[in-house]
Amino acid sequence: MEITANNPNLKSWIEVPKNSDFPIQNIPFGIFKTNQLTPRVGSRIGDFVIDLQSLSVLGYFENLPFELSDFATNSLNPMMAKGKKGTRELRNRISKLLDANLTDLQKNEHHVQQVLIPVDQVEMLMPVQIGDYTDFYSSREHATNVGMMFRDPANALLPNWLWIPVGYHGRSSSVILSGQAIHRPKGQIKPDPNADPIYAPCRNLDFELETAFITYEGKPLGDSITTEEAEDFIFGKVLFNDWSARDIQTWEYVPLGPFLAKNFASSISPWIVTLDALQPFKVQGPTQVPEVLSYLKYEGQKSYDIALEVLIQPEGQKETVVSKSNFKYMYWNMAQQLAHHTVNGCNVRCGDMMGSGTISGPTEDSYGSMLELAWKGTKPLKMKDGSERKFIQDHDTVIMRGYCEQNGVRVGFGEVSTKVLPAK
Ligand code: MN
């Protein structure tokens, strides 16, 4: 089925501010509520949230494979359960309702007033009931930088890295929404390598610049998803700050990998931008040498040009941009990640979330973590207020933004913003 909603020539009868992340070509999905309205499914255009529950009640979703209960609910899971065909039809329909050349909705002023809500009047909620959360380690630059710092600069990449999209199983209970503050985690750290570990608040709190994709229902246990099929099982993407306690990580990670250094909080942006909306921004991925094993081979373009940035805002001060990166730098693409995840027969479910892994680019100002940007604390970053950062301090807010742009169409994610409070 054609994705009519992606037509770059479409204009809406709703005014969209210049440089908005949410033109008519985006049509993301999220969950919102207001003082009057119960939690429900919404979309977004410009500075308005679109109430899909009300559109359904008013009959605008006739002949689509959805029921009112798919929208009158506090997660996108029931809607996503209808699969890619269903959500593509739905997005095409919403696009028609917003199209300046079509009058079905715009001619009906009462309906317009009911379904369009100024964005400053809504509270965004967790969009998805996340089942399992997996995090990958798919940026060659990031893996190389970390290998250089902690192991051997001459053999920075571990022998498996160019063969396997390396990943680990994370924890979904601590995935939180943008806007929710976190407390500095506590745990075991070993600041003096020659002394016993101590129990203390983390001293090396870090962000990880990532995106994450959300899956539709996969295949039954025992079956695998191919790279060719993979994108049919991906609903959409969010910005993802995978908080990390580097000092806890250093002490705990051998031999089983990340644990308490990673599961105290992971923040996502509220709007899920569909993989359909990102199709016009596909690009060729990096050449993979050595040639990957057969189940990881893929045809066509599977990488996406998504400009990303990270900012730190000290309490009461201006934001400072600390990194500008791009999702296109990733060595392993989402199709390969999902094919690898299921190659052993592991089943993926509706609402699972897969982190990309920290996204570091080739230059020093495009790294995706403080660990790399300040190179293990040896090159502190200057903030606009004159202060310096080796890692994230209490009362800092970390903000990530991302968007795609081509031929005058900008499709963006908004932001994920999280403030760090002192340890409890
Ligand atoms: Mn991560």
Side-chain angles (χ1 to χ4, degrees):
M1 188 203 319
E2 201 190 338
I3 312 174
T4 55
N6 286 358
N7 181 349
N9 300 318
L10 289 178
K11 295 258 186 297
S12 179
W13 48 271
I14 300 159
E15 193 193 310
V16 176
K18 196 172 152 47
N19 285 334
S20 170
D21 279 349
F22 305 103
I24 189 172
Q25 287 83 4
N26 191 337
I27 312 187
F29 293 95
I31 298 288
F32 76 97
K33 69 174 185 178
T34 71
N35 287 338
Q36 282 84 35
L37 302 176
T38 53
R40 60 192 59 200
V41 175
S43 184
R44 168 107 183 233
I45 184 162
D47 293 333
F48 291 95
V49 169
I50 307 160
D51 177 350
L52 301 194
Q53 176 177 333
S54 292
L55 280 176
S56 178
V57 168
L58 294 169
Y60 287 100
F61 293 154
E62 260 179 29
N63 302 318
L64 291 179
F66 293 93
E67 291 152 37
L68 175 57
S69 59
D70 298 328
F71 305 111
T73 179
N74 63 359
S75 89
L76 297 176
N77 297 55
M79 192 193 90
M80 288 157 49
K82 304 293 165 76
K84 175 144 286 190
K85 186 170 174 293
T87 55
R88 182 173 294 177
E89 272 187 88
L90 175 64
R91 190 166 158 272
N92 284 346
R93 177 70 61 89
I94 296 167
S95 170
K96 285 206 172 82
L97 296 173
L98 304 175
D99 186 340
N101 293 320
L102 300 172
T103 58
D104 288 10
L105 178 60
Q106 64 169 314
K107 73 184 178 200
N108 202 324
E109 204 174 311
H110 285 301
H111 291 180
V112 170
Q113 283 193 352
Q114 192 179 336
V115 303
L116 285 190
I117 303 158
V119 72
D120 56 9
Q121 291 176 20
V122 312
E123 180 187 345
M124 297 306 296
L125 303 171
M126 271 298 284
V128 176
Q129 196 174 349
I130 297 167
D132 284 306
Y133 154 47
T134 302
D135 195 25
F136 286 93
Y137 189 58
S138 289
S139 158
R140 182 172 191 161
E141 288 80 1
H142 173 67
T144 303
N145 288 339
V146 172
M148 284 171 69
M149 274 184 264
F150 290 103
R151 288 187 302 272
D152 174 10
N155 298 288
L157 283 183
L158 285 169
N160 63 3
W161 199 90
L162 293 168
W163 295 93
I164 292 178
V166 171
Y168 71 95
H169 286 303
R171 189 168 177 84
S172 58
S173 67
S174 51
V175 178
I176 57 173
L177 193 66
S178 175
Q180 182 177 345
I182 63 167
H183 286 273
R184 179 176 298 273
K186 296 169 291 193
Q188 285 200 26
I189 59 176
K190 204 167 179 296
D192 179 354
N194 300 313
D196 288 342
I198 59 171
Y199 164 60
C202 157
R203 295 173 186 179
N204 298 347
L205 181 62
D206 202 355
F207 58 79
E208 287 187 339
L209 170 63
E210 301 194 25
T211 65
F213 68 82
I214 314 284
T215 60
Y216 293 109
E217 185 70 22
K219 291 184 177 180
L221 182 71
D223 288 357
S224 304
I225 294 170
T226 67
T227 56
E228 194 182 348
E229 298 165 327
E231 294 200 334
D232 288 339
F233 290 93
I234 298 174
F235 171 57
K237 286 170 69 78
V238 290
L239 300 172
F240 182 46
N241 180 353
D242 191 23
W243 290 99
S244 299
R246 298 298 177 197
D247 41 2
I248 296 174
Q249 185 177 0
T250 308
W251 171 232
E252 77 170 1
Y253 87 108
V254 179
L256 286 187
F259 187 31
L260 303 182
K262 296 286 189 169
N263 68 5
F264 59 95
S266 308
S267 310
I268 65 169
S269 53
W271 293 107
I272 301 186
V273 177
T274 63
L275 203 62
D276 276 356
L278 296 173
Q279 291 311 295
F281 309 100
K282 279 188 155 185
V283 290
Q284 195 63 48
T287 308
Q288 295 180 321
V289 181
E291 192 177 327
V292 299
L293 296 179
S294 58
Y295 78 95
L296 291 169
K297 287 185 179 152
Y298 65 94
E299 304 266 328
Q301 298 179 334
K302 303 280 186 202
S303 293
Y304 293 81
D305 184 355
I306 306 173
L308 299 163
E309 64 176 9
V310 186
L311 306 94
I312 296 176
Q313 182 177 27
E315 175 104 277
Q317 301 292 328
K318 287 203 171 100
E319 302 168 345
T320 300
V321 177
V322 295
S323 176
K324 280 181 176 292
S325 190
N326 196 301
F327 185 62
K328 71 183 176 189
Y329 296 136
M330 298 306 274
Y331 189 83
W332 298 104
N333 59 53
M334 293 182 283
Q336 291 178 310
Q337 289 172 335
L338 197 49
H340 183 66
H341 202 311
T342 59
V343 72
N344 65 344
C346 173
N347 51 335
V348 166
R349 293 180 294 193
C350 177
D352 284 356
M353 189 178 95
M354 315 272 171
S356 59
T358 306
I359 303 164
S360 289
T363 56
E364 285 179 14
D365 57 356
S366 62
Y367 295 162
S369 66
M370 287 302 283
L371 178 69
E372 297 162 87
L373 289 163
W375 206 259
K376 225 178 165 184
T378 60
K379 295 179 184 172
L381 298 186
K382 256 264 188 307
M383 299 290 107
K384 276 186 185 157
D385 67 0
S387 62
E388 290 187 337
R389 291 293 180 283
K390 297 176 178 175
F391 288 96
I392 302 303
Q393 295 183 0
D394 289 347
H395 309 292
D396 283 351
T397 298
V398 175
I399 302 156
M400 296 175 178
R401 303 197 177 109
Y403 67 92
C404 310
E405 192 158 25
Q406 199 189 43
N407 300 328
V409 176
R410 170 178 168 134
V411 169
F413 291 81
E415 66 178 31
V416 54
S417 168
T418 312
K419 185 172 184 177
V420 175
L421 302 175
K424 270 191 179 175

